[in-house]
Amino acid sequence: MSKPLTIAIPKGRLLDSVVEHISARGMDISFGSRKLSAVDSTGRLEVYKVKNHDLPTYVHHGIAGLGIVGDDTVAESGHSFTRVLTLPFGETRLCIAAQEGSLTPEKRGGTVTVATSYVRMTRDWFHRRGIPVKIIRLGGSVELAPVLGLAPYIVDLVETGSTLVANGLEIITDLADIKVRLIANPAYFKLHYREIAELADIMTRET
Ligand code: PRP
């Protein structure tokens, strides 16, 4: 067999689903203790476990030819990739949320302050609607911001909605559906088209 395809997978909330999805299709992946790279049992994939937000950087530079990542992370990176396929797990929504009973940003008027880790997507959304926005960048636990008075609104991922409810917040508006994709570095995709098409075929198989 030819050299393995290189693929970056994210260490965060998607990791278990990604490893399960690939392993269930006959490509067993097991990382040794603390080890961040592994070759699957068939030798088709060389897998790198990277921080979610660094994943687009590895694929953009062609260090990993492929990556599995959410639309949110791709959009925030500002890089362009070839989208190979959509995976059947990890779907979420990016939403504006605020304390229960809050007005929408449009109705509130004036410059809207928003705390978020999704600065680019948030800025684009408000600019497209002509709403002046001040964005406060946070690394996580964004739901605390309205509770503590840092910002009346947040933009964050909502999966089950339980983090919002637990903090007395509610969804004001949906910004985007977020899906998990297999992406490729565009040059790598052209060079390894046949092997990537075979992989895509395996990855979409029912188990
Ligand atoms: C994500 C997201 C929300 C939460 C949503 O946070 O930022 O806080 O999950 O999930 P839910 O709707 O099912 O409650 P994550 O756990 O990744 O940590 P973070 O706060 O550091 O972003």
Side-chain angles (χ1 to χ4, degrees):
M1 193 190 253
S2 48
K3 269 172 61 179
L5 293 168
T6 51
I7 181 167
I9 66 172
K11 272 170 124 179
R13 67 184 177 93
L14 291 175
L15 180 66
D16 290 348
S17 308
V18 169
V19 170
E20 209 173 286
H21 186 89
I22 296 174
S23 300
R25 283 153 187 84
M27 298 172 284
D28 285 324
I29 303 170
S30 93
F31 291 97
S33 162
R34 308 293 297 165
K35 205 156 177 341
L36 299 173
S37 64
V39 175
D40 84 283
S41 55
T42 67
R44 189 184 292 273
L45 296 176
E46 184 163 317
V47 187
Y48 310 130
K49 200 162 44 164
V50 303
K51 270 266 194 226
N52 191 39
H53 286 96
D54 296 334
L55 195 148
T57 307
Y58 282 97
V59 181
H60 174 68
H61 288 282
I63 305 303
L66 303 168
I68 294 180
V69 68
D71 293 329
D72 51 326
T73 308
V74 170
E76 288 299 314
S77 78
H79 298 307
S80 301
F81 301 104
T82 304
R83 187 185 285 174
V84 182
L85 57 87
T86 303
L87 291 152
F89 54 79
E91 193 170 345
T92 53
R93 294 181 293 159
L94 190 71
C95 299
I96 301 179
Q99 286 189 301
E100 285 162 13
S102 299
L103 296 174
T104 63
E106 290 93 331
K107 288 203 178 120
R108 190 182 170 104
T111 299
V112 179
T113 304
V114 181
T116 188
S117 311
Y118 300 93
V119 173
R120 193 184 282 253
M121 295 177 88
T122 301
R123 195 198 303 121
D124 289 352
W125 191 87
F126 279 90
H127 283 185
R128 274 202 305 276
R129 283 160 184 78
I131 304 170
V133 64
K134 177 184 165 207
I135 297 174
I136 300 177
R137 183 194 293 270
L138 292 177
S141 301
V142 174
E143 291 84 356
L144 270 178
V147 179
L148 301 181
L150 180 65
Y153 297 99
I154 61 170
V155 168
D156 202 8
L157 295 181
V158 178
E159 199 168 347
T160 62
S162 51
T163 311
L164 290 184
V165 170
N167 292 286
L169 307 179
E170 65 183 10
I171 293 172
I172 304 280
T173 313
D174 277 6
L175 262 67
D177 272 339
I178 304 294
K179 296 199 166 141
V180 177
R181 322 276 185 180
L182 173 64
I183 58 163
N185 173 294
Y188 189 87
F189 183 74
K190 284 186 193 141
L191 270 174
H192 299 277
Y193 179 77
R194 199 175 46 82
E195 298 96 312
I196 295 172
E198 271 173 27
L199 175 67
D201 191 47
I202 296 170
M203 296 272 267
T204 48
R205 261 181 219 157
E206 296 293 331
T207 55

